[in-house]
Amino acid sequence: AVGTYLLSRYFSSRSDSKEKVNLEVDKDNAKVVHSFDIEDISKKAVYCRCWRSKKFPYCDGAHTKHNEETGDNVGPLIIKRR
Ligand code: FES
């Protein structure tokens, strides 16, 4: 019950934020999904999480400009091999 209460508070506190995250990637698709086999990642892969990269799903550094313009704090997901 406490968990449900906290979840409902979390979501209702976010109800003022209904803008789209994805402004231009693959807009003809109902859902944009990318899948990679872990074996195909060489030393390091850097994936975009801000949806502003021109090389999506890979990060091209566009998050820096997005953060400057919006006050956001997003950055990429980096997957490395040891
Ligand atoms: Fe989107 Fe870097 S360009 S996270």
Side-chain angles (χ1 to χ4, degrees):
V2 172
T4 306
Y5 170 75
L6 290 174
L7 271 178
S8 69
R9 283 218 23 173
Y10 174 76
F11 285 111
S12 69
S13 71
R14 294 171 55 86
S15 63
D16 58 335
S17 173
K18 301 227 177 186
E19 289 100 32
K20 287 183 173 139
V21 169
N22 178 15
L23 301 180
E24 55 186 31
V25 176
D26 213 0
K27 293 305 277 185
D28 293 338
N29 267 337
K31 186 184 333 186
V32 181
V33 176
H34 294 92
S35 177
F36 300 92
D37 288 332
I38 198 82
E39 290 81 9
D40 294 338
I41 295 173
S42 50
K43 262 246 171 277
K44 181 171 144 186
V46 184
Y47 298 105
C48 176
R49 294 192 299 181
C50 75
W51 290 85
R52 301 297 181 270
S53 174
K54 297 286 183 223
K55 296 189 328 195
F56 198 88
Y58 299 103
C59 173
D60 71 354
H63 58 265
T64 303
K65 183 169 173 247
H66 166 77
N67 287 343
E68 283 168 5
E69 287 175 354
T70 63
D72 211 344
N73 64 346
V74 295
L77 166 67
I78 302 174
I79 299 188
K80 293 180 192 168
R81 258 182 211 287
R82 287 188 208 206

